[in-house]
Amino acid sequence: MKRIMFFMLSVLILTACGSPQAEKENVREQLRKEAETANKNLKGVQIDYATTSNGCEFKNDTFYYYYTVNEQYVDFDAMRAQENAIKANIKSTLDSSEETIALLELIKKVNGKIVYEYTGSDSNQIFTITLDY
């Protein structure tokens, strides 16, 4: 009888506290919803003179941002040559922006990544920046 009571009490405590896996699943669901909301605001929007957002998604603990780059204005070889500077600029912007701090905290909870994927408008070349959190 004591074993049964102990077992039932243990189950109740674990259920009340939640498991780390359940917490991560909750965070993943929040990130999926964040991507859905971002798509409503970003998809199809021209970000700057050469970059258009194709939206974003969250899958496999990675938050993906997709862009098309107008190759009449930006050369992919030049982008690749500046990869470290671009990566540092993106990271700095994310780390200092009030709009993205909450997103970064969620990404960190699942040991996730953020990937920026740029596709050339003419060549369909892909240039990727990956940020580990």
Side-chain angles (χ1 to χ4, degrees):
M1 182 71 164
K2 285 183 181 181
R3 282 186 175 157
I4 293 173
M5 291 298 283
F6 179 74
F7 176 74
M8 290 177 64
L9 182 60
S10 297
V11 169
L12 286 173
I13 290 171
L14 286 174
T15 303
C17 295
S19 70
Q21 191 60 33
E23 183 180 337
K24 280 189 175 186
E25 279 307 313
N26 183 32
V27 170
R28 288 179 180 114
E29 184 58 30
Q30 288 176 336
L31 286 163
R32 281 188 281 277
K33 288 180 181 178
E34 182 70 29
E36 289 174 15
T37 300
N39 277 325
K40 291 176 185 174
N41 298 317
L42 292 176
K43 202 168 191 177
V45 173
Q46 188 163 348
I47 305 300
D48 59 27
Y49 70 96
T51 312
T52 302
S53 172
N54 297 329
C56 60
E57 69 179 328
F58 178 74
K59 65 179 181 182
N60 301 323
D61 291 344
T62 302
F63 206 95
Y64 293 89
Y65 288 98
Y66 301 105
Y67 299 98
T68 297
V69 176
N70 186 331
E71 291 179 276
Q72 292 178 350
Y73 301 108
V74 177
D75 178 57
F76 262 67
D77 291 332
M79 281 182 74
R80 284 188 182 86
Q82 294 295 317
E83 180 175 352
N84 290 334
I86 294 169
K87 188 174 188 175
N89 187 35
I90 291 171
K91 187 160 179 32
S92 174
T93 301
L94 289 174
D95 291 343
S96 64
S97 173
E98 288 184 30
E99 294 83 18
T100 57
I101 289 173
L103 173 70
L104 294 180
E105 290 303 315
L106 292 173
I107 295 285
K108 289 174 186 176
K109 287 181 180 181
V110 295
N111 299 316
K113 299 177 184 181
I114 298 178
V115 172
Y116 287 80
E117 184 176 289
Y118 301 92
T119 302
S121 59
D122 299 326
S123 67
N124 287 321
Q125 291 183 62
I126 295 175
F127 172 69
T128 304
I129 298 282
T130 302
L131 303 170
D132 293 309
Y133 285 94

